[in-house]
Amino acid sequence: MADAVVLVSGGAAVTPYTDPERAAGSGLAAGNTMTALRAHLLDRGIRVFTAPARIGAGEVSEDVGWQGFGDVPVVLPAEVTINAVGRVDDAGVALAGFLRRLAADEGVSRVDLVGHSMGGLFSRAAIRELGDGGPRVERLVTLGTPWDGSVLGDFLDGEVSEGDAHGDPATLQIFAEARPYAQANSEGAADEVSRRFLRGWNQAQAGVLDGIPVTAIGAGYFAAATDPVQLWPHDGLVSMTSGRADEVPAAVLPHVDRHAFPDHVHSIFFAEAFGLPWERARTWDPEVFAVVDAALGR
């Protein structure tokens, strides 16, 4: 069994470094992605850390945005902090450095990774980067990770269009906000969550997950149509098919357990935007936590 669980947040997320005893002193203790899941794991007596992440390069000392945090007791250097709007492989280098730091400073020799959204991609890149030089990754759990593309990436890449929304107001709203959001925030991330990019990237990752059991959890609250399956149903950012890694070849993903939550959205941002309780978001729902517990053998 792993010595610890590391939670890895996704694209455009701001997350403080936390350890089992220390977290942000004000606001959401582990940021608006991982606070509830971290609390659940701690309540079960599990040693859990969150990898620091921010929008752009640098350190994480606070998040002044929506449902942010402050008074972070431990601020780690920029080189082990994920740029959550940057390129996937660069994030993998930072995360691998963070894991090596845990090995050196906290005695962590075996680790389970739980990644939300692009955090699953960052985790896969870090596993490749670690090779044999760092803590051993025992298991990987992905929550809404775009294994095979995303709503935002595929729309920006022209793989899906407004016509594929079939008039669904929520999906059209997401499309309308995608391009200005990416232009304002992305430093490479938006270009690397399309199906076109990830299918090539996945091929280059063949062998990385050999011997590592993976649990892939998808969702599809938005289900106004059934075609194309590249889009429908989706959780606001990732299709059910992509989140479950349904079409990822066995050479890339040899050991996988797939789960679906049809009534869930991608994050509390989407829950808030569409008038849903936060518990309908992937990293805030006790039913999802039960799947994570089982996946980690806890």
Side-chain angles (χ1 to χ4, degrees), residues 52-194:
R54 54 166 285 144
I55 296 174
E59 301 174 344
V60 184
S61 58
E62 64 178 353
D63 177 12
V64 298
W66 182 76
Q67 299 297 334
F69 55 83
D71 302 314
V72 175
V74 180
V75 177
L76 296 187
E79 59 265 24
V80 297
T81 299
I82 294 166
N83 177 357
V85 294
R87 299 193 176 280
V88 170
D89 288 335
D90 292 340
V93 171
L95 178 56
F98 171 74
L99 295 173
R100 293 189 186 104
R101 188 183 183 97
L102 286 187
D105 294 352
E106 301 289 344
V108 174
S109 61
R110 296 175 299 168
V111 64
D112 292 333
L113 299 179
V114 180
H116 174 252
S117 193
M118 287 188 76
L121 301 180
F122 302 158
S123 296
R124 294 172 60 199
I127 293 168
R128 185 202 62 231
E129 182 71 20
L130 283 171
D132 296 325
R136 173 181 170 81
V137 176
E138 298 285 345
R139 300 174 184 83
L140 171 64
V141 179
T142 65
L143 309 171
T145 288
W147 284 85
D148 197 31
S150 69
V151 174
L152 181 147
D154 290 345
F155 176 73
L156 295 177
D157 198 42
E159 291 245 337
V160 298
S161 68
E162 286 92 345
D164 294 318
H166 298 282
D168 177 57
T171 302
L172 288 171
Q173 178 183 341
I174 292 165
F175 283 170
E177 296 175 4
R179 200 174 305 280
Y181 180 83
Q183 290 173 343
N185 295 282
S186 178
E187 297 178 9
D191 298 329
E192 298 192 352
V193 287
S194 71

Side-chain angles (χ1 to χ4, degrees), residues 2-298:
D3 303 323
V5 174
V6 172
L7 305 181
V8 185
S9 54
V14 183
T15 303
Y17 166 73
T18 73
D19 63 25
E21 291 79 33
R22 298 171 295 184
S26 60
L28 294 177
N32 52 43
T33 300
M34 292 302 190
T35 291
L37 179 54
R38 173 182 182 267
H40 166 79
L41 294 172
L42 288 176
D43 285 347
R44 294 180 62 81
I46 296 170
R47 193 180 184 201
V48 59
F49 300 83
T50 56
R54 54 166 285 144
I55 296 174
E59 301 174 344
V60 184
S61 58
E62 64 178 353
D63 177 12
V64 298
W66 182 76
Q67 299 297 334
F69 55 83
D71 302 314
V72 175
V74 180
V75 177
L76 296 187
E79 59 265 24
V80 297
T81 299
I82 294 166
N83 177 357
V85 294
R87 299 193 176 280
V88 170
D89 288 335
D90 292 340
V93 171
L95 178 56
F98 171 74
L99 295 173
R100 293 189 186 104
R101 188 183 183 97
L102 286 187
D105 294 352
E106 301 289 344
V108 174
S109 61
R110 296 175 299 168
V111 64
D112 292 333
L113 299 179
V114 180
H116 174 252
S117 193
M118 287 188 76
L121 301 180
F122 302 158
S123 296
R124 294 172 60 199
I127 293 168
R128 185 202 62 231
E129 182 71 20
L130 283 171
D132 296 325
R136 173 181 170 81
V137 176
E138 298 285 345
R139 300 174 184 83
L140 171 64
V141 179
T142 65
L143 309 171
T145 288
W147 284 85
D148 197 31
S150 69
V151 174
L152 181 147
D154 290 345
F155 176 73
L156 295 177
D157 198 42
E159 291 245 337
V160 298
S161 68
E162 286 92 345
D164 294 318
H166 298 282
D168 177 57
T171 302
L172 288 171
Q173 178 183 341
I174 292 165
F175 283 170
E177 296 175 4
R179 200 174 305 280
Y181 180 83
Q183 290 173 343
N185 295 282
S186 178
E187 297 178 9
D191 298 329
E192 298 192 352
V193 287
S194 71
R195 188 181 199 183
R196 192 189 316 272
F197 175 86
L198 285 169
R199 289 203 163 178
W201 189 79
N202 280 337
Q203 290 178 357
Q205 294 285 111
V208 169
L209 294 174
D210 288 357
I212 299 177
V214 174
T215 300
I217 302 173
Y221 175 81
F222 302 100
T226 58
D227 181 67
V229 293
Q230 184 175 349
L231 175 62
W232 297 103
H234 65 84
D235 65 8
L237 275 185
V238 178
S239 72
M240 178 82 79
T241 295
S242 182
R244 283 169 41 93
D246 287 342
E247 297 182 7
V248 176
V252 176
L253 189 54
H255 312 286
V256 59
D257 185 25
R258 297 180 170 93
H259 294 265
F261 285 84
D263 61 346
H264 281 58
V265 292
H266 192 75
S267 66
I268 62 172
F269 290 98
F270 285 91
E272 191 82 5
F274 292 97
L276 301 170
W278 284 7
E279 288 77 15
R280 297 282 287 280
R282 206 76 43 81
T283 59
W284 288 75
D285 181 17
E287 291 185 6
V288 176
F289 298 167
V291 174
V292 174
D293 290 342
L296 300 180
R298 304 285 184 161

